[in-house]
Amino acid sequence: MDTKIGSLDTCRPTSNDMINPTNGAVAAIQSSVSPTVINSSEATLGRHLARRLVQIGVNDVFSVPGDFNLTLLDHLIAEPELNLVGCCNELNAGYAADGYARSRGVGACVVTFTVGGLSVLNAIAGAYSENLPVICIVGGPNSNDYGTNRILHHTIGLPDFSQELACFQTVTCFQAVVNNLEDAHELIDTAISTALKESKPVYISVSCNLSAIPHPTFSREPVPFSLTPKLSNKLGLEAAVEAAADFLNKAVKPVLVGGPKLRSAHAGEAFVELADASGYALAIMPSAKGLVPEHHPHFIGTYWGAVSTAFCAEIVESADAYLFAGPIFNDYSSVGYSLLLKKEKAIIVQPERVVIANGPAFGCILMKDFLSALAKRLKCNTTAYDNYHRIFVPEGQPLRGAPKEPLRVNVLFQHIQKMLSGETAVIAETGDSWFNCQKLKLPRGCGYEFQMQYGSIGWSVGATLGYAQAVPEKRVISFIGDGSFQVTVQDVSTMLRCGQKNIIFLINNGGYTIEVEIHDGPYNVIKNWNYTGLVDAIHNGEGKCWTAKVFCEEDLVEAIETATGSKKDSLCFIEVIAHKDDTSKELLEWGSRVSAANSRPPNPQ
């Protein structure tokens, strides 16, 4: 993630300073600044919401119109600093807000009541699982219809309008139903600030007849947020650091492993500070790729059990102590629960909790405070990294292909590696792209995102749209399987409308390859499409678009030269034809282990 909202600093702000997240950064605004008085025609709920979004760093809102949100959209469009990005469907709008939040620190989408809300629900659930603050705004029923016996369209045919709210309650950290103007200001501000503090999605429903009505509570520019910072318990922090330092300083070959919750804890810099001070070997969990700089001198790769990058698992699993910062251990990240780790060797640091071995545990401690304080207490110990350096053997090169030989995926990614720089970002779709992209070595400043916890196929199309919209200065390179692409292809159209210059590599291997390696069956084979022809049809002469179909290495080299040369200002779509069984060795291993975990028989009663 390139930038992030750091509005929740652990140090208490000086008296009456306001903490204002803008464009993914934090600016301190003195309370002495007088808010600008707004003329009555703009003193509306809709404009207040628009101004709030801009204030927290959201300059693009992803939307699908519906009759319940049309007036609200009018007022969002009227905000000069807010750009409304119309998407082809609600699911992609939610995925785009997810991708935007990964880069900018917060994202937003606007849909219509129930029929739109339930369509975006899957994307919001994914953002919840990945700890991303996404503001999901729904245009709701007319305020006069609440509490009546009326039946509305876009509902399931009952006079109770709470079905959508009930669904969102499990996948958002706060829900605001705005059906009167008196408490609208408070509800909206509480929802947005909760999303920022909890790093989770929130739900805001706004009655369709309220957006345009002036109200005194919106008569001034909104005062910048003053978010009460979370603070570590000082005595608990000291005790936890002392216990952890004692534990690690006794170890012979300790290691550090970064996890995905480094993002929501805003602890990436503190983690690197700890790595610098300790000299420990530094690894990442797969879902933390991109959150830790891979050019760090003690970086040893991705720890993913049996499918780790070369020599990483050996160093981590043979260590006599390991500190995991923000881990998520699920069946995917643990390769079917097969990690060779021991609890008594581990320090687990979560965003607000530290557990050392089998105990003790310390609560109310912020991860970044703990890591920074621990960095000052550890003895430098490079043993684990020295061992890694001693046993490391560079990876072999793919076998040289004959002229015009069908392209192999390992050859593809050998060429992809050369495309990466600080001006690019990688989006990896669920599937074999997880494993192939994991082996890419990210240059300084190169972004990287994938959705491992939720693993919703098709996520990457919308996420590419959102991420690229958030950082137009980067060129986003996406790797999408044919099965995933068929789910969400429509919003390539929106990328073209927005003038994006992404490079999409469509890996066409005839089906759901990741499912094949877990459990094969005829349901994993899909109808083949003419993918370049489809994208050309979507292009339809509007915007800049270039497509190519690649069969061999020679085709690939030519396509990459064109995409990064004469077509560098265009959206480039490169379909790579691959054999259906051409998968990474990591997927073969991982798939068999996940299959074994899925097929465990019931425990005897």
Side-chain angles (χ1 to χ4, degrees), residues 143-207:
S143 62
N144 297 301
D145 290 327
Y146 282 92
T148 67
N149 203 35
R150 293 169 180 153
I151 294 175
L152 292 181
H153 68 288
H154 288 342
T155 69
I156 62 172
L158 299 175
D160 174 10
F161 304 152
S162 65
Q163 299 88 26
E164 179 184 81
L165 173 62
C167 292
F168 275 94
Q169 283 172 333
T170 59
V171 295
T172 55
C173 66
F174 188 85
Q175 306 82 38
V177 178
V178 181
N179 53 22
N180 71 80
L181 289 172
E182 280 63 37
D183 61 358
H185 190 292
E186 178 184 358
L187 284 172
I188 289 171
D189 284 7
T190 301
I192 293 174
S193 59
T194 302
L196 299 180
K197 287 189 288 187
E198 300 299 325
S199 198
K200 294 281 190 183
V202 294
Y203 165 86
I204 302 174
S205 173
V206 179
S207 287

Side-chain angles (χ1 to χ4, degrees), residues 433-484:
S433 293
W434 277 3
F435 302 91
N436 289 307
C437 290
Q438 196 66 223
K439 291 180 282 189
L440 294 171
K441 294 175 177 61
L442 302 182
R444 186 190 299 266
C446 182
Y448 185 92
E449 296 294 344
F450 77 129
Q451 189 195 57
M452 185 173 185
Q453 171 59 39
Y454 202 57
S456 184
I457 68 167
W459 161 85
S460 63
V461 176
T464 297
L465 165 65
Y467 193 101
Q469 198 66 17
V471 277
E473 67 275 12
K474 283 188 182 290
R475 195 163 196 196
V476 178
I477 306 174
S478 298
F479 301 91
I480 311 176
D482 50 342
S484 298

Side-chain angles (χ1 to χ4, degrees), residues 12-174:
R12 191 180 300 278
T14 54
S15 59
N16 297 322
D17 279 6
M18 301 298 181
I19 298 178
N20 173 30
T22 307
N23 295 330
V26 174
I29 296 184
Q30 300 295 331
S31 58
S32 58
V33 177
S34 299
T36 304
V37 177
I38 297 171
N39 68 59
S40 60
S41 65
E42 296 181 355
T44 62
L45 185 158
R47 286 302 295 276
H48 173 79
L49 181 54
R51 285 186 285 265
R52 270 298 190 223
L53 292 175
V54 169
Q55 189 186 74
I56 63 171
V58 174
N59 297 105
D60 300 271
V61 176
F62 303 93
S63 68
V64 177
D67 59 326
F68 285 126
N69 71 10
L70 297 178
T71 303
L72 175 60
L73 295 182
D74 286 340
H75 286 262
L76 297 181
I77 290 172
E79 172 56 46
E81 295 181 63
L82 198 61
N83 176 40
L84 205 65
V85 179
C87 295
C88 297
N89 59 54
E90 292 87 358
L91 179 61
N92 278 339
Y95 286 154
D98 171 312
Y100 195 92
R102 289 168 184 268
S103 177
R104 194 65 76 88
V106 61
C109 57
V110 184
V111 299
T112 197
F113 185 59
T114 306
V115 68
L118 298 190
S119 289
V120 80
L121 190 69
N122 186 55
I124 300 303
Y128 188 96
S129 75
E130 301 274 322
N131 299 296
L132 297 168
V134 171
I135 317 297
C136 181
I137 303 163
V138 173
N142 187 291
S143 62
N144 297 301
D145 290 327
Y146 282 92
T148 67
N149 203 35
R150 293 169 180 153
I151 294 175
L152 292 181
H153 68 288
H154 288 342
T155 69
I156 62 172
L158 299 175
D160 174 10
F161 304 152
S162 65
Q163 299 88 26
E164 179 184 81
L165 173 62
C167 292
F168 275 94
Q169 283 172 333
T170 59
V171 295
T172 55
C173 66
F174 188 85

Side-chain angles (χ1 to χ4, degrees), residues 318-336:
S318 67
D320 54 344
Y322 17 74
L323 183 150
F324 281 81
I328 294 178
F329 295 109
N330 59 26
D331 51 337
Y332 274 15
S333 66
S334 67
V335 197

